[in-house]
Amino acid sequence: MRSTLLSLSLLSLLGLSAGQPRHQHQHLHRHRANRAPIAKRDKVTVTDSKYSTTTEVPEVVVYVDQNNNPIRTTTETVVYVPATVEIYEASTPTTEISPLSTKAAPVVESESSSYQTASPTTQQASSSQLVSSADSYPTSSKSASSSAASPSSSSGALHGVSYSPYKGNGECKTADEVDADFALIANDYGVMRLYGVDCDQVATAYAAAKKYGNKLFLGIYDITAVEDAVSTIAAGVQNDWDIVDTVSVGNELVNDGAATVDQSISAMNQTRSLLRSAGYEGPVVVVDTAVAILAHPELCDESDYCAINCHPFFDANTGPDAAGSFVTSTVSSIRSKLSDSSKRIVVTETGWPWQGESNGEAVPGLDQQSTALSSIKTAFASNASNVILFTAFNDMWKKAEAATFMAEQYWGMGGQYSPSDE
Ligand SMILES: *[C@@H]1O[C@H](CO)[C@@H](O)[C@H](O)[C@H]1NC(C)=O
Ligand SMILES: *[C@@H]1O[C@H](CO)[C@@H](O)[C@H](O)[C@H]1NC(C)=O
C-alpha cells in the first residue's frame, strides 16, 4: 500500500516536473496489454496473459478516483486468469487513458466490490478505478529491449540492439526462429539486449549469440523472483559468463510506479550477490527512464554503470535531426546528478518509430527514423557501445495505443519485420 501510494505521488511529480510526460507512457501498455477485468464476487479477477495457469495472490489494492487520487487501500485476493489468444489479439482502440489508468486493471463502479466487466477504454465512465500493485511486477518480460556493449572482437565499435523473442501472436519464438532473427542482424550489432527469462530466451539467444559472435545484455523483468531468474540465466548460458555483457534488474519500474527506488535497488543487490555466487563478475544494473533517474540518481549510483532508456520521440519539441543532441544532453544532465560524475552511462534504449501518429515535431516515418538514427549514431560515434538501439524488429505482439502515438509496434529499424512475422 505504501509503495503504491508513493508511486502515485511519484508519477504525478514526474509528470509535473519533467516537462515530457509522454516519456512515461511508453512502456505502460506493455504491462497491461492483455488485461481485461472480469466480474467475480469477493475477489478481484484479472485476465492476464502473463500467467499460464490461474493464480491467486494477495495484493495491495488501491482504489483511485477519476483523478487518480487514492480513495481506499485494502489487501485483497487477486485471481489472475490466463488470457486467451483471442483477448490478446483483440484490438480495442484506447484513447485518453492516463498513465495511471493504463496500469489499472480491474474497474469498480464504487467502493463496493461490484466489479464491472469493463474494458480499459470504459474506465473513464466509472466512478473509481482500482489499481493493483500486482501490475508493478509483470512476470512476463514482454517489454521492449535493447542494449549496448562491446562486441567480443572490436570493443565499442558497434551499437547494441534490443531484441524480444515473441511472435506477433504473442507466442514464444523457437530456437530456430531466434536463430533466423540473429542471422539477419547479428553482424550489425555487438550486444543483444533481452528483457526477461521467459520463453527459454536466455538459452535460445545464448545459442544464437555463440554462433554469431554477439554478447548478451540479459534482463530480469520480475524483480520479485530474482532467485529463479538467476538460476534460469545460469542454466541458459551454461555458466559461460564471458558472453554476458550485463544483467539488468527491472525495466522502467520506478518510472511506471511499479516499484519503489528501494525495491529496485534491493532487488539489484540481491541479484548481484546471487550472480557473483554463480560465477558472473560483470555489471549488474537497474534500467529506468531518464526522467526517473533524474529524480532518483541513486538508481545509477548503486548500479555498476548507469543505464537509462531515453526516447527523443516522446519529446514533442524534438524533431528527428535533433534526436542525437536530445540524447547527449539528457546524458549530460544525468551525469551532473551522479555521485561519481565519471561513471559510465549507457543508453539502454533509444530509437524512433517509422509509423504512427506525430507527437509535435516528433514525426514518425521511415525517412524520419533514418534521420533520427543517424543523428544518434553521430552523437555517439566515439562510443557506440554505450548505446543500445531500439529495436531490432517491429514488435507485432504489442498493441497500438493512443498514449504512445499508435506507434508501439513500429520501432523496428528500417521497418524490418522478424522472419517469424512475415
Ligand atoms: C545495496 O547495496 C549497497 C552496497 O552494498 C548498500 O550500500 C545499499 O544500502 C544497498 N541498498 C539496498 C536498498 O539494499
Ligand atoms: C559518448 O561520447 C560523447 C563524446 O565524448 C559524450 O559526450 C557522451 O557523454 C558519451 N556518451 C555516453 C553514453 O557515454
Side-chain angles (χ1 to χ4, degrees), residues 306 308 327-329 331-332 335 343-347 378-387:
C306 179
I308 62 164
V327 178
T328 50
S329 75
V331 167
S332 302
R335 187 171 296 292
K343 193 162 194 159
R344 183 185 180 201
I345 300 176
V346 174
V347 178
T378 301
F380 287 87
S382 65
N383 47 18
S385 67
N386 283 343
V387 175

Side-chain angles (χ1 to χ4, degrees), residues 145-148 162 193 195 217 251 285 287-288 305-310 346-350 386-390:
S145 69
S146 75
S147 104
S162 56
R193 180 182 174 193
Y195 289 82
F217 179 119
N251 186 61
V285 301
V287 176
D288 221 304
Y305 62 73
C306 179
I308 62 164
N309 291 348
C310 180
V346 174
V347 178
T348 44
E349 274 187 19
T350 190
N386 283 343
V387 175
I388 298 172
L389 297 173
F390 184 86

Side-chain angles (χ1 to χ4, degrees), residues 305-374:
Y305 62 73
C306 179
I308 62 164
N309 291 348
C310 180
H311 287 289
F313 178 74
F314 292 105
D315 180 63
N317 299 312
T318 298
D321 29 1
S325 57
F326 178 90
V327 178
T328 50
S329 75
T330 303
V331 167
S332 302
S333 304
I334 286 175
R335 187 171 296 292
S336 71
K337 305 245 175 186
L338 300 183
S339 59
D340 171 10
S341 64
S342 66
K343 193 162 194 159
R344 183 185 180 201
I345 300 176
V346 174
V347 178
T348 44
E349 274 187 19
T350 190
W352 199 268
W354 61 273
Q355 185 170 294
E357 290 167 0
S358 294
N359 172 28
E361 291 181 39
V363 177
L366 277 175
D367 288 348
Q368 288 83 350
Q369 184 193 58
S370 164
T371 301
L373 291 172
S374 303

Side-chain angles (χ1 to χ4, degrees), residues 114-128:
S114 62
Y115 299 103
Q116 243 179 266
T117 60
S119 77
T121 47
T122 65
Q123 284 177 3
Q124 284 143 325
S126 66
S127 59
S128 63

